[in-house]
Amino acid sequence: ELLVVIAIIALLAAILFPVFARARENARKTNCANNVKQIGLAILQYAQDNDEILPPVAYEDDVGDDYQWPQLIAPYLKGPQSLRCPSDSRSKIISYGLNEAAFVDWEDDPADPPLSLAEFRRPAQTVMAGDVGTQDDFRTPIPDSLKMVEPDDDLDDDVDGRPAARHLEFVNLTFMDGHAKAMKLEQFYIGQTPDDLWFEP
């Protein structure tokens, strides 16, 4: 009888643990979606205060100090926790990246003109920011030409990343019109070209 009870408990545990794990990840996904939404709104507020011009990925001031986009939008965020995805297992502080084609890097080319919100023909379809990671974070093949950019933890450099499907194979994204949603990578990578969906203003 004891063995039967143990077998039943083991069976119930095998059934329930994946359900609990999925529920926990759905909660993290919702938390992350809220972070992504806040980042999108913060960028739009920054643009509103700067003649509709988007913040640069990075720039260097006259005395040689580096500034990254999280520092520029920090006054518009609730706090630094908005930059950390609860499902990000990396040791990084910032879990999100910007669409590399939509934001200029004044550190690389100070003469590169900044983009304005009015330049985006399809803001509801153009990705602004989202979950970012490395090529190891997902199984979907991703073209090397499609990148997102994220700051290093010390905020003195930026690195190329890729959208990371951390949430049950979904990636949280925010778009140029301010809305946010979760998508599977193949929804915007497979069969897409840069001017087809989200990499061209």
Side-chain angles (χ1 to χ4, degrees):
E1 291 181 2
L2 180 60
L3 291 175
V4 171
V5 171
I6 292 173
I8 292 173
I9 292 173
L11 181 62
L12 289 174
I15 294 171
L16 294 177
F17 283 166
V19 174
F20 292 148
R22 191 174 185 86
R24 185 170 60 251
E25 181 51 42
N26 277 323
R28 291 173 178 169
K29 177 182 174 183
T30 300
N31 187 302
C32 174
N34 184 54
N35 289 347
V36 168
K37 177 76 171 177
Q38 283 189 50
I39 289 170
L41 293 177
I43 289 172
L44 291 177
Q45 288 174 325
Y46 174 97
Q48 185 176 15
D49 289 344
N50 290 274
D51 299 322
E52 299 294 302
I53 300 299
L54 292 170
V57 167
Y59 77 97
E60 185 177 296
D61 65 15
D62 295 336
V63 296
D65 291 330
D66 291 330
Y67 292 90
Q68 302 284 316
W69 63 267
Q71 294 165 300
L72 300 177
I73 67 168
Y76 306 97
L77 292 173
K78 291 182 179 179
Q81 70 276 6
S82 299
L83 297 169
R84 176 72 181 171
C85 171
S87 294
D88 190 354
S89 60
R90 303 174 303 163
S91 60
K92 293 182 70 65
I93 297 171
I94 297 171
S95 305
Y96 307 105
L98 301 179
N99 175 349
E100 187 182 53
F103 294 83
V104 301
D105 191 338
W106 284 341
E107 213 169 37
D108 288 345
D109 186 1
D112 200 12
L115 296 177
S116 71
L117 292 174
E119 294 182 67
F120 293 89
R121 299 187 301 271
R122 291 170 292 181
Q125 292 178 286
T126 305
V127 168
M128 177 192 289
D131 280 314
V132 71
T134 68
Q135 189 71 33
D136 297 330
D137 289 334
F138 36 75
R139 294 186 290 273
T140 303
I142 293 177
D144 288 338
S145 60
L146 303 184
K147 299 176 183 177
M148 297 183 84
V149 61
E150 60 176 327
D152 280 344
D153 280 347
D154 54 11
L155 292 176
D156 66 355
D157 199 3
D158 55 70
V159 294
D160 290 336
R162 301 289 189 280
R166 284 191 281 263
H167 308 287
L168 304 173
E169 299 188 10
F170 281 82
V171 53
N172 281 321
L173 300 166
T174 185
F175 293 76
M176 284 295 174
D177 67 342
H179 85 280
K181 68 177 179 179
M183 296 177 69
K184 287 200 170 185
L185 290 179
E186 56 265 26
Q187 287 182 267
F188 57 89
Y189 269 126
I190 304 303
Q192 301 291 347
T193 59
D195 60 353
D196 211 358
L197 185 61
W198 64 285
F199 257 76
E200 287 293 328

